[in-house]
């Protein structure tokens, strides 16, 4: 049999949680993979959000090469929010550069909407606005609808009740597995499937994972048990030459406070907003030196780059130092808020470098950074109990024989290179 590659994504799942649940018997199939394979921590993208991380996973490139810097961005010379999608990805996904005869099944990878043509099947992941445009070939739409297939969990249900949310989580997973079974029987060289309900669950109920007395602790572990069962089904269908690669796009940890970076910039005089009935990014006024886009991408309001840009090129170095001093000293409830401050030149390189944020902030333990421009306070606590992390995504390859294919400190943009080595390329 020819070697096939199976890629399983567990959105947001941290190394520590997967290790814990596999050792506790919640995920026995994952445990078997860990025992016979290579299991390591992996760095996420900068910033550590799904749209950027999965774009890096599937292209093997950093954001200044593939052009996706966040869930939102500004078109050139505007303060108008846009929502980049798969059509704005500037580099091809790995299945688009494969041999023409190699067929790919790609299911539920975030930021692959609208679906693009390929040799095989592509079912977009979130954010997907139109189901008909989420599926290639179009003939697959009807079978998926008959399976009650859903792109994403209806997260708003959690704001009504966690019980409704958990039911929808399970229904979404069950439909995903039905589609997996349907597509597995087709001919393919690479099968990629991402489970995104894990991210949704951890955002809302990370505290239920940490607290075994929590009302929903068993619900939390039960969902991972069901995901593990699906993984076990996949493993049982693999041939002797097949290789399974499992990974997450970022990690997770407990969330204590949301911290609003634009509020801080406004309070300290770096951000000026015009008085308007509705505050948007178009409210950015003359005199603004810097602003933030989610989650904590800091852009200097440069002259010639933005409609009301006023910062001259020669002022940039001094302004960056001021901002770094401000952010490094930020504290909430006596706790340091910012763990890392990255300058663009440290982390981005490529043809879209000029579009990159000037600084990217990574929150310290427990702090979730947000760009919300309408925020009226520095920090708050919402419904989420879990937040993304940068340094504890995971990578798991099903055979130790591929250990040399994996860098000592892998990052999400290394995945394409690892897949090529596994495939003998």
């Amino acid at each position: 049999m020819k070697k096939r590659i199976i890629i399983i994504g567990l959105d947001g799942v941290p190394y520590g949680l997967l290790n814990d649940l596999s050792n506790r018997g919640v995920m026995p199939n994952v445990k078997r993979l860990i025992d016979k394979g290579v299991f390591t921590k992996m760095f996420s993208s900068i910033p550590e959000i799904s749209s950027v991380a999965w774009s890096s996973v599937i292209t093997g490139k950093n954001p200044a090469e593939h052009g996706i810097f966040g869930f939102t961005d500004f078109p050139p010379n505007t303060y108008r929010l846009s929502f980049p999608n798969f059509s704005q990805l500037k580099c091809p996904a790995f299945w688009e550069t494969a041999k023409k005869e190699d067929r790919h099944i790609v299911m539920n990878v975030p930021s692959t909407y609208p679906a693009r043509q390929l040799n095989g099947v592509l079912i977009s992941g979130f954010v997907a606005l139109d189901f008909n445009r989420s599926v290639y070939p179009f003939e697959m739409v009807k079978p998926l609808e008959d399976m009650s297939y859903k792109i994403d969990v209806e997260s708003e249900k959690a704001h009504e009740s966690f019980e409704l949310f958990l039911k929808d989580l399970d229904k979404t997973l069950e439909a995903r597995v039905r589609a997996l079974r349907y597509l597995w029987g087709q001919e393919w060289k690479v099968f990629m499937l991402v489970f995104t309900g894990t991210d949704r669950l951890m955002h809302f109920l990370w505290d239920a994972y940490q607290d075994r007395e929590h009302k929903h602790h068993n619900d939390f572990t039960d969902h991972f048990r069901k995901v593990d069962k699906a993984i076990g089904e996949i493993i049982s269908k693999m041939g002797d030459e097949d290789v399974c690669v499992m990974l997450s796009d970022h990690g997770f940890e407990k969330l204590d406070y949301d911290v609003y970076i634009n509020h801080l910039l406004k309070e300290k005089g770096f951000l000026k907003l015009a008085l308007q009935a509705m505050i948007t990014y178009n409210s950015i006024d003359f005199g603004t030196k810097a602003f933030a886009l989610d989650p904590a991408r800091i852009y200097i309001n440069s002259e010639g780059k933005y409609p009301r840009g006023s910062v001259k090129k020669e002022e940039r170095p001094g302004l960056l130092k001021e901002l770094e001093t401000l952010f490094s000293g930020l504290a909430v409830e006596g706790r340091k808020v910012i763990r890392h401050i990255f300058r663009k030149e440290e982390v981005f390189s490529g043809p879209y470098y000029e579009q990159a944020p000037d600084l990217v902030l990574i929150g310290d333990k427990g702090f979730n950074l947000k760009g919300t421009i309408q925020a009226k306070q520095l920090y708050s606590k919402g419904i989420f109990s879990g937040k993304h992390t940068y340094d504890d995504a995971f990578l798991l390859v099903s055979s130790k024989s591929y250990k040399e294919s994996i860098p000592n400190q892998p990052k999400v943009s290394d995945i394409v290179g690892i897949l090529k080595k596994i495939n003998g390329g």
Side-chain angles (χ1 to χ4, degrees), residues 6-10 33 54 191-195 227 230-231 234-235 244-248 394:
I6 298 91
I7 306 165
I8 303 172
L10 301 183
L33 283 176
W54 286 111
F191 197 115
M192 183 174 187
L193 166 63
V194 178
F195 295 98
V227 170
I231 292 168
I234 292 169
I235 295 168
C244 180
V245 176
M246 282 181 57
L247 69 146
S248 62
F394 80 88

Side-chain angles (χ1 to χ4, degrees), residues 353-391:
Y353 176 81
E354 290 305 317
Q355 298 174 20
D358 294 278
L359 298 173
V360 181
L361 314 179
I362 304 292
D364 211 343
K365 196 173 183 66
F367 292 105
N368 184 43
L369 308 181
K370 298 174 74 71
T372 314
I373 200 158
Q374 301 90 353
K376 295 180 179 178
Q377 68 258 7
L378 176 61
Y379 64 97
S380 68
K381 181 68 175 75
I383 192 173
F384 282 178
S385 66
K387 62 167 284 261
H388 295 186
T389 56
Y390 159 69
D391 55 358

Side-chain angles (χ1 to χ4, degrees), residues 199-200 203 243 318 325 389:
D199 176 272
R200 307 295 181 262
H203 269 303
V243 181
T325 299
T389 56

Side-chain angles (χ1 to χ4, degrees), residues 178-196:
R178 285 194 291 271
L180 157 67
R181 291 168 182 158
Y182 180 86
L183 291 168
W184 188 271
Q186 298 190 12
E187 182 184 345
W188 48 269
K189 170 68 174 177
V190 177
F191 197 115
M192 183 174 187
L193 166 63
V194 178
F195 295 98
T196 48

Side-chain angles (χ1 to χ4, degrees), residues 3 11 31 49 51 60-61 79 111 121 140 161 191 230 242 249 329 335 346 379 390 409:
K3 182 195 297 179
D11 197 283
K31 174 65 174 171
I49 56 173
S51 61
K61 305 294 184 180
Y79 296 116
S111 295
V121 176
M140 275 296 305
S161 81
F191 197 115
D242 294 344
D249 57 325
R335 293 165 54 188
E346 295 177 77
Y379 64 97
Y390 159 69
Q409 292 185 313

Side-chain angles (χ1 to χ4, degrees), residues 377-416:
Q377 68 258 7
L378 176 61
Y379 64 97
S380 68
K381 181 68 175 75
I383 192 173
F384 282 178
S385 66
K387 62 167 284 261
H388 295 186
T389 56
Y390 159 69
D391 55 358
D392 64 341
F394 80 88
L395 173 63
L396 170 57
V397 179
S398 61
S399 172
K400 285 184 168 63
S401 61
Y402 295 106
K403 186 174 182 179
E404 298 305 314
S405 302
I406 302 170
N408 288 332
Q409 292 185 313
K411 51 188 182 295
V412 289
S413 57
D414 290 325
I415 295 298
V416 169

